[in-house]
Amino acid sequence: MRPATTLELLATPAEVSGVRRALSAYGADVQLCASELVTNVVQHLGEGVPVTVRVWCDDGGRTRLEVTDPDPRALPVLRASVGADEESGRGLALLDALAARWGVAHGPGRGKTVWCELEAGPDGGAAPVVSAGGPGRTATAGRDPR
């Protein structure tokens, strides 16, 4: 099992590419999900917000990604559809398509953690899950079925 990777940063557009580089060992899907979640913090909370990104693989081969920010009220919303001309709104749709499941957790302190889990692919990297419910959906989006 690979040890957890924890990144403490201030959310800025420049840091998004740094997060992708730092998580390259986890594969493109994890990099994309992390990039989208940190970008959401920049867009919805503003630049310079403190963020913690944490990634680890469990013994069953799943990779878990968590992005924690200090605002418990700004919750992610999966949009039903995004028009071709719209410049934003696709990040959570990408995460939903790639992740086996995802959701939001509120910790004992202030803030929230947006998390997702990706299945291991044949090369050991994260891979999407395809189920009868559609690509990447084994549970209602944004809800932990446990």
Side-chain angles (χ1 to χ4, degrees), residues 12-106:
T12 64
E15 285 289 347
V16 173
S17 60
V19 168
R20 283 194 302 266
R21 279 191 304 278
L23 301 180
S24 64
Y26 292 94
D29 290 349
V30 171
Q31 289 175 295
L32 179 57
C33 289
S35 174
E36 293 301 331
L37 291 176
V38 174
T39 297
N40 279 352
V41 173
V42 173
Q43 289 181 339
H44 299 289
L45 300 181
E47 290 189 33
V49 172
V51 172
T52 301
V53 177
R54 189 160 188 257
V55 183
W56 70 94
C57 298
D58 67 18
D59 292 332
R62 266 196 187 185
T63 300
R64 181 159 172 123
L65 164 67
E66 297 180 346
V67 176
T68 302
D69 69 62
D71 190 340
R73 299 173 315 244
L75 299 175
V77 176
L78 180 63
R79 293 173 57 182
S81 65
V82 178
D85 294 336
E86 294 183 63
E87 293 184 16
S88 65
R90 292 175 185 81
L92 283 178
L94 287 169
L95 181 126
D96 187 58
L98 293 172
R101 61 190 194 142
W102 67 276
V104 180
H106 289 88

